[in-house]
Amino acid sequence: MANRALPARRYFGALVLIIAVMYGLIFFTGTDRTPQLGLDLRGGTTVTLTARTPDGQAPAPEDLELARQIIEQRVNGLGVAEAEVVTEGDANIVISVPGDDGDQARELGQTAQLRFRPVVTGPEPAAPAEATDSATPTDGATPTDSATPTDAATTTDAATPTDAATPTDAATESATATDAATPSDGAVSDPALDTDRPAVTQEEAAARYATLTCDAADTTTEVARPDDFVAACSEDGSVKYLLGPTIIEGTQIADASAGTQQTTGEWVVLLDFDSEGRTTWAEYTAANVGSNVAFTLDGRVVSAPTIQGAINGQTTITGSFDQAGAEELANQLRYGALPLTFEQATAQSISTELGAEQLRAGLIAGAIGIALVFVYALLYYRLLGLVMIVSLLLSAVVVYASLVLLGREIGFTLSLAGIAGFIVSIGITADSFVVYFERLKDEIREGRTLRSAVPRAWVRARRTILSADAVSFLAAAILYWLAIGDVKGFAFTLGLSTVLDLVVVFLFTHPLMAVLARFRSFGTSRFSGLGRVDRTRRSAAPSVPADRELVGAGSGTRASQDRSQP
């Protein structure tokens, strides 16, 4: 008996060691001792952005990662605490912002591509104007006084270079089409948008420009290639522009910041390019003094200043800026240079109160499910049901530790969909016990004692348990791979529970049954119900005449029947 008890002790010892290590890591290596909750349980906003390319193919992984980094910089620049920006699949970026203020998260994905384009025609009103002055743009990049355009051709000290690009008003801006329409040789191409279709010509873009109204139904944020001519609107939709092919990509911006001029105290925006962009910008500004250049963000013109001279270093953008306007333009230039265009696939905002209610509802649903399983197990299996209950509680202990450690190591957060996955997994785990116990009953019906039936039942039930859990895990893995958003949380917890189910069944349930089978009282109908199965088998067996019982007492019905055969 001592030799047979040794494997059970090994199984129990392995399980105890696993639990001790997990909880040792929880209490001695970190400060978080509870699972991280998703935004749908603690309140917040989740936005899923999907990359959009003209050919419909998935973007290059390096472009998607660069976009993620830039969006993450936007989040940090806005001062949003505890926000997360991660890639998901081969074309999605997920932005998660906790708290009740989710408007910023929605705005983070609205801007996709920043480009500098020459102004061929415009600005002019996007709709019939009642007065001439209504054509004047009023954003931070243009003067608010339409009668007096800003003059930025003044020399400043060393802190502010004299080479400046200054916005002008709509009444005085003009550009030479031949100069402005020709990009410099250093124009940057975008491999992600290269297709076989020909570039949009100036005539085609001009036809679009003639009918452009810039209202809500007439959007101008379609994917455009760098070498296309485009018709674009201002951010507020009040004026429109005809723009030439791209001069410089926003990815070539090294830095952009808001500041004040030391001599006048006026707010300005300081712009720096990388070495390649600086060379291209110097060549273009030298050849196009007096022309306008548009800064386009997602196809919308955020600023269209006039080039006052050749710019060989830092560019200073002046105008009728206040602090908010200068900082907004600086942020758009600094963080607007995404290498891909995105569309908002999903967006969900949950208030803190609603998140707490959903967490409470999820826990209640889980408790009800577990309680029903416990009641069924006790009524149908009696003491075997108690074994099932203890195994499920032990599984919960391991699951809790896993959630805490996964939250620390990989940032896994438990969502409402994840709780649903755990609730579903209760049935899968209970099914493993049902398969084992029913196989055990079959062995006893065949005339074996409980002690001999346990190992034989385990060998046969083990194959079924492994097959069922393998199918469940494979389904969860495929769902996790293909899904986005909350469905991934459901798939992850379902797969995790399936793996932990095997750990508990192999290291606890089966060894415990092997130990309990050594006690004769465990197999009685009073405790486990297995004795009732044995009595049913005996009553169903055919009776044997007394004169044919040739063996001594205790040999059992099977022996008597065997001896009675000719």
Side-chain angles (χ1 to χ4, degrees):
M1 182 177 295
N3 292 335
R4 291 186 179 182
L6 183 60
R9 289 201 298 267
R10 288 179 177 175
Y11 291 137
F12 291 145
L15 183 60
V16 170
L17 179 62
I18 291 174
I19 295 176
V21 170
M22 295 178 73
Y23 279 88
L25 293 174
I26 290 175
F27 287 100
F28 298 109
T29 62
T31 57
D32 296 331
R33 293 179 174 82
T34 58
Q36 295 187 23
L37 299 180
L39 298 184
D40 56 348
L41 297 179
R42 60 191 175 108
T45 299
T46 301
V47 178
T48 300
L49 305 176
T50 300
R52 187 161 54 102
T53 58
D55 56 8
Q57 301 298 318
E62 55 271 18
D63 289 340
L64 190 65
E65 174 60 22
L66 177 59
R68 187 202 66 79
Q69 294 175 2
I70 294 174
I71 293 177
E72 188 173 47
Q73 290 175 351
R74 294 180 185 175
V75 175
N76 297 334
L78 293 173
V80 180
E82 300 182 8
E84 294 181 353
V85 181
V86 297
T87 57
E88 187 176 82
D90 58 358
N92 300 306
I93 293 179
V94 180
I95 307 170
S96 301
V97 178
D100 293 333
D101 186 11
D103 293 338
Q104 291 177 317
R106 296 176 183 270
E107 294 173 357
L108 290 172
Q110 291 180 356
T111 56
Q113 288 177 325
L114 175 68
R115 286 175 173 150
F116 288 24
R117 292 178 178 270
V119 176
V120 179
T121 305
E124 63 181 60
E130 297 180 359
T132 304
D133 291 343
S134 63
T136 306
T138 57
D139 59 36
T142 44
T144 55
D145 185 1
S146 59
T148 308
T150 303
D151 183 5
T154 55
T155 304
T156 58
D157 57 22
T160 307
T162 57
D163 299 328
T166 308
T168 60
D169 84 6
T172 59
E173 283 181 344
S174 61
T176 303
T178 54
D179 291 340
T182 306
S184 68
D185 294 337
V188 180
S189 63
D190 188 349
L193 297 178
D194 286 340
T195 64
D196 295 333
R197 67 177 175 86
V200 177
T201 64
Q202 183 172 353
E203 291 75 15
E204 294 172 336
R208 164 69 172 157
Y209 175 78
T211 60
L212 186 62
T213 60
C214 294
D215 57 17
D218 191 10
T219 59
T220 59
T221 58
E222 66 271 5
V223 178
R225 297 175 302 175
D227 54 350
D228 288 340
F229 283 81
V230 297
C233 299
S234 62
E235 273 193 305
D236 58 6
S238 61
V239 296
K240 59 183 180 180
Y241 300 82
L242 178 60
L243 308 177
T246 300
I247 306 164
I248 293 179
E249 292 284 352
T251 51
Q252 294 181 283
I253 293 178
D255 190 27
S257 60
T260 56
Q261 288 182 325
Q262 293 184 359
T263 55
T264 63
E266 295 180 349
W267 282 94
V268 296
V269 176
L270 306 177
L271 178 64
D272 271 325
F273 297 97
D274 60 18
S275 57
E276 182 181 357
R278 183 172 294 187
T279 300
T280 303
W281 186 239
E283 293 175 356
Y284 181 81
T285 54
N288 293 277
V289 176
S291 299
N292 292 76
V293 61
F295 306 158
T296 64
L297 201 56
D298 251 7
R300 293 275 180 170
V301 178
V302 297
S303 180
T306 301
I307 300 172
Q308 299 294 324
I311 304 175
N312 297 313
Q314 187 183 58
T315 300
T316 302
I317 305 173
T318 63
S320 300
F321 290 118
D322 56 13
Q323 181 177 356
E327 290 179 348
E328 179 183 4
L329 179 59
N331 285 334
Q332 288 173 325
L333 296 175
R334 187 189 307 123
Y335 301 132
L338 291 182
L340 299 168
T341 297
F342 288 89
E343 62 182 359
Q344 192 175 102
T346 61
Q348 181 184 34
S349 294
I350 303 294
S351 66
T352 304
E353 294 77 9
L354 182 58
E357 291 179 2
Q358 292 189 154
L359 175 60
R360 184 164 51 254
L363 295 177
I364 292 174
I368 293 174
I370 293 175
L372 292 176
V373 172
F374 285 0
V375 171
Y376 172 81
L378 290 175
L379 292 178
Y380 192 78
Y381 290 111
R382 299 190 183 182
L383 200 56
L384 287 179
L386 188 60
V387 173
M388 181 191 297
I389 292 173
V390 174
S391 299
L392 288 173
L393 292 176
L394 189 61
S395 178
V397 171
V398 178
V399 166
Y400 185 87
S402 301
L403 291 177
V404 176
L405 294 177
L406 289 173
R408 288 184 186 175
E409 297 300 324
I410 66 174
F412 175 76
T413 57
L414 181 62
S415 64
L416 191 61
I419 293 179
F422 281 126
I423 295 175
V424 172
S425 70
I426 294 174
I428 297 175
T429 305
D431 184 62
S432 299
F433 302 135
V434 171
V435 169
Y436 184 23
F437 295 160
E438 290 301 321
R439 185 67 249 183
L440 183 61
K441 286 185 176 183
D442 290 341
E443 294 294 333
I444 292 178
R445 288 191 183 98
E446 293 178 4
R448 296 180 179 85
T449 64
L450 178 60
R451 188 165 185 175
S452 63
V454 166
R456 294 178 64 88
W458 171 249
V459 171
R460 296 186 179 184
R462 181 177 57 196
R463 293 194 295 267
T464 305
I465 293 173
L466 288 173
S467 299
D469 283 355
V471 172
S472 177
F473 181 81
L474 182 61
I478 294 175
L479 185 62
Y480 182 84
W481 179 261
L482 298 178
I484 64 173
D486 292 339
V487 180
K488 293 180 76 72
F490 172 84
F492 186 89
T493 55
L494 182 60
L496 176 65
S497 300
T498 302
V499 173
L500 297 180
D501 166 40
L502 293 176
V503 173
V504 172
V505 170
F506 275 75
L507 298 184
F508 180 76
T509 307
H510 168 53
L512 180 61
M513 285 299 301
V515 171
L516 293 176
R518 301 186 187 119
F519 299 94
R520 187 182 301 271
S521 59
F522 181 78
T524 63
S525 60
R526 180 180 180 184
F527 292 101
S528 65
L530 294 176
R532 179 175 55 184
V533 174
D534 185 59
R535 287 201 308 272
T536 303
R537 177 190 60 81
R538 290 176 182 270
S539 63
S543 60
V544 180
D547 59 352
R548 293 192 180 183
E549 290 192 358
L550 304 178
V551 295
S555 298
T557 304
R558 180 181 296 273
S560 301
Q561 291 173 336
D562 292 341
R563 291 293 185 91
S564 66
Q565 300 298 325

